[in-house]
């Protein structure tokens, strides 16, 4: 969660707009996912190759050029993509927008 939060915050600072997620959605999503993958690749490399804290088993699929596990990279492609798709879908949904704008305020109760 910390990696995701840091990636999203960085992406919002770099490419976010005040009306996000309504506008500027793609760049924020892209930067977040790329930042997460980059950190994951670096972290996996550091832990397995430099520090030697643990190693992959022979059954673990490893990306040949990077030498890191396939699963963590796929997790950073799939899970945030689904989350961003959900957020984008909610941002475009008129029902979700109208229900929040018509909600009573404390002064109207």
């Amino acid at each position: 969660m910390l990696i995701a939060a840091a990636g999203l915050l960085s992406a919002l600072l770099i490419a976010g707009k005040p009306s996000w997620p309504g506008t500027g959605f793609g760049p924020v999503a892209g930067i977040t996912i790329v930042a997460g993958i980059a950190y994951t690749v670096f972290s996996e490399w550091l832990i397995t190759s430099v520090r030697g804290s643990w190693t992959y088993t022979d059954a673990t699929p490893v990306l040949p050029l990077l030498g890191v596990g396939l699963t963590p990279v796929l997790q950073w492609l799939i899970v945030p993509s689904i989350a961003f798709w959900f957020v984008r879908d909610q941002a475009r949904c008129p029902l979700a927008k109208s229900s929040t704008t018509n909600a009573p305020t404390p002064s109207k109760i």
Side-chain angles (χ1 to χ4, degrees), residues 32-73:
T32 302
I33 292 170
V34 167
I37 290 171
Y39 178 82
T40 299
V41 167
F42 170 75
S43 175
E44 294 265 325
W45 168 80
L46 181 68
I47 291 169
T48 59
S49 298
V50 176
R51 293 184 181 163
S53 301
W54 52 272
T55 60
Y56 298 112
T57 66
D58 292 336
T60 304
V62 176
L63 295 171
L65 296 175
L66 300 174
V68 299
L70 176 63
T71 305
V73 174

Side-chain angles (χ1 to χ4, degrees), residues 9-108:
L9 180 61
S10 298
L12 286 169
L13 291 173
I14 294 167
K17 299 185 189 270
S19 58
W20 190 87
T23 59
F25 183 84
V28 171
I31 291 170
T32 302
I33 292 170
V34 167
I37 290 171
Y39 178 82
T40 299
V41 167
F42 170 75
S43 175
E44 294 265 325
W45 168 80
L46 181 68
I47 291 169
T48 59
S49 298
V50 176
R51 293 184 181 163
S53 301
W54 52 272
T55 60
Y56 298 112
T57 66
D58 292 336
T60 304
V62 176
L63 295 171
L65 296 175
L66 300 174
V68 299
L70 176 63
T71 305
V73 174
L74 285 178
Q75 287 174 345
W76 262 103
L77 285 172
I78 295 168
V79 174
S81 296
I82 292 169
F84 278 117
W85 172 80
F86 181 76
V87 168
R88 187 174 200 173
D89 187 50
Q90 293 298 312
R92 289 183 176 174
C93 180
L95 180 60
K97 289 180 183 176
S98 66
S99 67
T100 58
T101 56
N102 293 333
T105 60
S107 62
K108 292 182 181 179

